[in-house]
Structures are given as structure tokens and as C-alpha cells.
Amino acid sequence: MSRVWNFSAGPSCLPEEVLNECAAEMLDYKGTGQSVMEMSHRSKAYEPIIQDAEAMVRKLMKVPENYKVLFVQGGGSTQFAMVAENLGIHTGKAAYIETGVWAKKAAAEAKKLGVQVDVIASSKDKGYSYIPKVEKVEGDYDYVYICMNNTIMGTHYEYLPETGNIPLVADISSCVLSEELDVSKFGLLFAGAQKNLAPAGVTLVIVREDLIPEAENCRAGTPTMLAYKTHADADSMYNTPPCYTIYVLGKVLHWIEKNGGASGMYKRNKEKADYLFNFLDSSDFFRATAAVGSRSLMNVPFLTKYSTGATDEASLAKEKEINDKFVKEAAAAGLVNLKGHRLVGGMRASIYNAMSLEGVKALVDFMKKFAEENK
């Protein structure tokens, strides 16, 4: 069977070059006679793997020396708690900008842990279809929290709020290394790996050293594993890390470097997104849902002309019928995982770093044919 074009929001497609390398080393990694899947994280064979992964993160993201690079488990969702437990410890207050599901969930988790959460801006009024403009944040907040790229809603920050001495925290799970980012503007960044870096299983955390409290200074009741200090002091090996995922992550980082680094990825991603959005904006059958000026280069939700907002039974049935038909026929044509999230409806094409322009063109060709056949 030939490879399909995988538009999943995550876990996402990986570079074929990386998959081939991993396959070649599956039974015998560099003459060790074993797979990295079987390798002890304390072994001399594994040590350079995790060290290289960290070095590549630092190189590609230009991480300043006073930041720690950590590889932890639990996905981005666990970071919702870790951020609050480790950073929300002085005034116990934090400012959140609510731009979609994940920022909303992060705020709810912080509240659950006793942090006073102030939602200082929200785009809920228009279904999270845009990024609200917050020029400056002031106050006695322990941190300001944003989600840089909103996977479900297909929106992305094209600016950063000015926070002064207040640490800016960002969830960059779905846009990490898709563009250049000045790490020094943030107190903490985190990214679940399963979109642009590796298979699911590891979360990258980049945190300024002065923001890492002693474990006993975290919020009361913080488990040992949820203290950044635990992982920072043990070089991400306090417990058994997700060894194989970190190994794949390292290979993906080398692939990114080979293809121009973060700036090369941005050029590649801009070309893909422009191609898709230009079609959507000129189509009388499909339309993008995210507002111009807030559009993600990674996740592109779109609707058909049958998504009118009408709530009568006949309209909803027709909308569902055409969406289901699109997803089914696309899959038959080798274009998979295009079903949209239930909160937006319609379809969604996630076009992360590893997706090629050829794949996006194949999608647009299919969309043209589908529109013609379903006028």
C-alpha cells in the first residue's frame, strides 16, 4: 500500500526520511545489537541520544544559556498544572488570554489548583475565530499565559503581548519550530511533541532558570514529578524518560536543520498555507473559518457552503451529509484525517512541518473536484 497524505491534528505525519532511518535502526542501533526501544536510559549508548536532542533544541531555537531544556511526560495537558504549581507561587495570581479550548482548559486547571485566574481577554464572542489584541499586560501577576497556535480553531498569534517583568508562558505545541521564535521573550515555553517534533509521549519544556522554584516552594501538595526542579536537577532522567520518542525527536530536529532550520520551515509552511488559503478565499463552495490576521499556518479548518449556521433539522442533516461525504471520499483518494473538530464542524487540514506542498496540492485538487461534483 502506498503512503497516504495524513492531515491529522496529532499525532501527525513525520518526515519519511526520519521514518526510514528509524526503521533501519529498529533491530540494531549503531552496532549495539538492540533497539533504542529496549535500551536502558542509564546506558552509555543512550546518553548521547538525549544529549544530542537537547543540543539540537538549543541550536535550532537559539535557547539562551540561562534556560533549562527539559523532556517530560504527560503531554501539554500536564503542563497546565505544572505551570500553575511552579510559577503561581508569589501573588498566586495569573493572567490568561483565552483563545480557544486549550487556553480555556489551562485556565481551568490553574483555578483548580488555587491560582486566581484573570481572563484578561477572550475571543469567545466570535467562536474563537480570531486572536484578541492585548498590547500590554500590567499587574502583580505571577505569569501571563497564552496558547500561541490554536489547533482546533486554526488561529495563531502574529504578535506577542508586552508583559514587562511578568513572565510570559506559551503553549507552542502545534507551532514549535514552524517559525523562528525569540525564546528570551518568554519565561517558559512548552510543546507536546506529537505535532511537529515526534510521536506522542514526550513534552518539550524550555524554562528560565530563575523561574524554577525549589520543590518545597511549589504550591502546596505539588507531587515530586510535577516540580520542574525534579527534572532540571536530573537532566530529564529522574525517572525513565520516553526514550524512543526522544530518539525520534532528535532525528526530526536534524531533518529540520537540514531543511533550513526554523526559518526554512517557515518558508515551507507559508507556501503551503498560502496555497490552501488562496484556494479557500476564492472558492464559492468552501470557506476558511479563521479571521484574516489570525490564521494559523499549521491548522486550517474549513466549511462548505452547506454550513450556513441554520439550526433546522433539514439544514443540519444536509450539512452532516456533505461533510461525511467529503471525509469519506477524501480518505478513498488517499487524503486522511480531515474531519473537523466538533466545536468548529466541517473539515480541518493540519499541515505541519512534515507535510509537503505536494500533499497540499493534492488536497486542493480533490477539493476542486468535490466542489464541482456537489454544487
Side-chain angles (χ1 to χ4, degrees), residues 38-58:
E38 308 166 289
M39 199 173 281
S40 167
H41 61 297
R42 305 293 183 193
S43 68
K44 290 296 183 183
Y46 188 74
E47 186 177 341
I49 293 175
I50 193 168
Q51 289 176 347
D52 177 67
E54 178 180 340
M56 288 303 296
V57 169
R58 289 188 176 277

Side-chain angles (χ1 to χ4, degrees), residues 202-280:
V202 69
T203 302
L204 171 67
V205 176
I206 302 173
V207 56
R208 208 172 67 211
E209 290 180 354
D210 65 292
L211 295 177
I212 302 175
E214 295 296 329
E216 62 269 21
N217 293 332
C218 293
R219 294 189 69 81
T222 298
T224 300
M225 283 297 292
L226 297 188
Y228 288 127
K229 183 75 171 171
T230 300
H231 303 282
D233 285 353
D235 296 323
S236 300
M237 290 203 285
Y238 176 79
N239 67 326
T240 306
C243 297
Y244 194 80
T245 309
I246 293 170
Y247 155 79
V248 179
L249 181 146
K251 287 189 176 295
V252 172
L253 295 178
H254 281 283
W255 175 83
I256 289 174
E257 181 183 42
K258 188 187 298 185
N259 286 277
S263 61
M265 290 297 104
Y266 175 76
K267 181 180 178 182
R268 173 188 176 99
N269 293 328
K270 185 75 164 57
E271 185 178 17
K272 291 182 297 185
D274 283 350
Y275 191 90
L276 181 51
F277 279 121
N278 287 340
F279 167 71
L280 288 169

Side-chain angles (χ1 to χ4, degrees), residues 48-308:
I49 293 175
I50 193 168
Q51 289 176 347
D52 177 67
E54 178 180 340
M56 288 303 296
V57 169
R58 289 188 176 277
K59 181 178 182 180
L60 291 173
M61 296 186 71
K62 301 180 176 65
V63 179
E65 290 185 5
N66 63 323
Y67 284 71
K68 284 286 189 180
V69 173
L70 309 176
F71 300 113
V72 298
Q73 298 175 56
S77 294
T78 297
Q79 291 307 305
F80 301 164
M82 289 185 75
V83 166
E85 290 177 320
N86 288 262
L87 271 62
I89 59 175
H90 301 295
T91 66
K93 295 167 59 179
Y96 281 68
I97 301 176
E98 187 183 286
T99 52
V101 170
W102 302 116
K104 186 176 181 180
K105 285 188 174 184
E109 194 73 5
K111 284 181 186 177
K112 188 186 298 183
L113 295 166
V115 173
Q116 178 185 318
V117 171
D118 290 349
V119 177
I120 58 173
S122 174
S123 52
K124 185 179 180 179
D125 61 324
K126 294 184 179 178
Y128 301 115
S129 61
Y130 70 100
I131 299 293
K133 192 71 173 177
V134 179
E135 299 284 356
K136 192 172 186 179
V137 183
E138 296 178 309
D140 59 345
Y141 295 116
D142 285 334
Y143 61 91
V144 177
Y145 186 101
I146 64 173
C147 181
M148 280 285 289
N149 190 84
N150 297 282
T151 320
I152 292 172
M153 309 304 178
T155 58
H156 177 73
Y157 277 80
E158 294 191 356
Y159 78 100
L160 289 177
E162 175 57 53
T163 63
N165 293 324
I166 309 171
L168 179 61
V169 174
D171 176 353
I172 58 170
S173 294
S174 53
C175 62
V176 60
L177 280 169
S178 65
E179 60 187 343
E180 292 191 282
L181 198 62
D182 185 350
V183 173
S184 69
K185 292 185 180 296
F186 300 85
L188 186 148
L189 295 162
F190 70 85
Q194 66 274 16
K195 302 175 190 297
N196 261 342
L197 296 178
V202 69
T203 302
L204 171 67
V205 176
I206 302 173
V207 56
R208 208 172 67 211
E209 290 180 354
D210 65 292
L211 295 177
I212 302 175
E214 295 296 329
E216 62 269 21
N217 293 332
C218 293
R219 294 189 69 81
T222 298
T224 300
M225 283 297 292
L226 297 188
Y228 288 127
K229 183 75 171 171
T230 300
H231 303 282
D233 285 353
D235 296 323
S236 300
M237 290 203 285
Y238 176 79
N239 67 326
T240 306
C243 297
Y244 194 80
T245 309
I246 293 170
Y247 155 79
V248 179
L249 181 146
K251 287 189 176 295
V252 172
L253 295 178
H254 281 283
W255 175 83
I256 289 174
E257 181 183 42
K258 188 187 298 185
N259 286 277
S263 61
M265 290 297 104
Y266 175 76
K267 181 180 178 182
R268 173 188 176 99
N269 293 328
K270 185 75 164 57
E271 185 178 17
K272 291 182 297 185
D274 283 350
Y275 191 90
L276 181 51
F277 279 121
N278 287 340
F279 167 71
L280 288 169
D281 290 343
S282 64
S283 174
D284 57 6
F285 189 90
F286 296 101
R287 70 179 188 277
T289 62
V292 175
S294 296
R295 287 176 169 178
S296 169
L297 301 185
M298 299 283 93
N299 311 98
V300 184
F302 57 93
L303 304 173
T304 71
K305 67 179 183 180
Y306 296 101
S307 297
T308 62

Side-chain angles (χ1 to χ4, degrees), residues 1-6 12-25 196-197 244 247-248 251-252 255-256 258-259 268 334 352-356 358-359:
M1 179 181 179
S2 60
R3 296 269 296 169
V4 296
W5 297 113
N6 180 9
S12 66
C13 58
L14 289 165
E16 285 194 26
E17 180 181 323
V18 169
L19 293 173
N20 285 327
E21 287 180 15
C22 293
E25 295 174 343
N196 261 342
L197 296 178
Y244 194 80
Y247 155 79
V248 179
K251 287 189 176 295
V252 172
W255 175 83
I256 289 174
K258 188 187 298 185
N259 286 277
R268 173 188 176 99
Y352 298 119
N353 287 348
M355 175 58 67
S356 67
E358 183 185 358

